[in-house]
Amino acid sequence: MNILLIIVIVIAVVLAITGGFVQSLNFLLWVGLVLLAIAIIAFLIRTITGRKSV
């Protein structure tokens, strides 16, 4: 009975860590998409106004 309890605890810990990892990756994906949108907008503004960066 003890070995079954240990297996269940290990599986629960692994699932908890995996769930947190997936949530953090999902957050980082959204942050990356926002940064990509900002970079595209800045590039378009720079090309439309004709400014040259150094």
Side-chain angles (χ1 to χ4, degrees):
M1 192 66 177
N2 284 340
I3 196 107
L4 182 62
L5 184 62
I6 292 172
I7 291 172
V8 169
I9 290 173
V10 169
I11 291 174
V13 169
V14 168
L15 288 176
I17 291 172
T18 306
F21 185 67
V22 168
Q23 284 181 348
S24 64
L25 283 180
N26 192 12
F27 173 73
L28 289 176
L29 175 68
W30 282 109
V31 169
L33 289 175
V34 168
L35 290 176
L36 179 66
I38 291 172
I40 290 172
I41 290 170
F43 175 76
L44 288 175
I45 290 174
R46 190 171 52 193
T47 55
I48 289 172
T49 58
R51 291 187 183 171
K52 302 284 185 188
S53 63
V54 176

